[in-house]
Amino acid sequence: MSQLSTHYVDKYYNVIFQSSDKSDDVIKVPDDRIADFLALLQASSWDVKYIHSSGFNDYLKGEYGLADYQFSEAQLNALDQFSTTWSRNNAARYMLNPTMVNALRMGWGEALSQWTNPELVATGLSAGILGLQGLARGTAKGGGKASFKGAKYSDKVLRQMNKADDIYHAFPKSVDGYATKFGQWSTKIGADGKIYQWLEMPGSYGGKTGTFEFIKDANDLINHRFFNIP
């Protein structure tokens, strides 16, 4: 039986944290408070029950307030069809930010939760993804673009893109478009303590397999465009 969770998101509705406090509220953490929020979670990580308690989460709701976007009754009914808290949270993640990566995560989450039933596993991936497309916030195609819209490359990145023999930086610009559609967005704290948006997409180029990485700062400047080969 799945359990209700409060979903903490950034301004792009990327999920930062999900607590099992028996609530389905969506809380948007302001950009200037994400670092403090992550630090609070880390400092409280020794007491898991406290982090997932209604008292702790009610306090944070009072601090940040509810996001403009909340799950509808139809969405909550759909989420209740998922068999575990893990798969339910993956479905909620997809509804909030419907990228292809989140769709696949949702499908695999439900399929693996039902691994004892081969028939459910076989249908879980396609049914999970297709069944919720009409209930997601926007569309999978639009989710990434909304986060990337208006971004510009820094002078450093433009110089690197013009070095034809640089496999790590001079990959085709068309990759950027695919990444906005199918990549995974996340919010991370840089070594300088500032908030950055990461966009990552696995792929291949030049006979190598790795991850295409993009990092955007608060001024919508992309200063990191890199093909990370393990």
Side-chain angles (χ1 to χ4, degrees), residues 168 171 175-176 179 188 198-202 210-215 222-229:
Y168 299 102
F171 50 86
V175 172
D176 303 26
K188 299 183 182 182
W198 279 65
L199 174 60
E200 298 170 278
M201 182 186 73
T211 302
F212 295 99
E213 300 176 347
F214 306 82
I215 301 178
I222 299 172
N223 197 41
H224 177 89
R225 182 182 184 271
F226 183 64
F227 182 41
N228 191 342
I229 304 173

Side-chain angles (χ1 to χ4, degrees), residues 92-115:
R93 186 186 295 266
Y94 169 74
M95 283 186 177
L96 291 168
N97 189 9
T99 64
M100 183 59 68
V101 171
N102 283 344
L104 293 174
R105 175 185 290 175
M106 174 187 65
W108 276 112
E110 181 64 1
L112 292 175
S113 295
Q114 300 172 344
W115 70 274

Side-chain angles (χ1 to χ4, degrees), residues 27 63 81 137 144 147 155 157 163 166 176:
I27 310 299
E63 286 288 302
Q81 304 308 309
R137 189 183 67 89
S147 300
D155 291 340
V157 167
K163 296 180 180 179
D166 186 350
D176 303 26

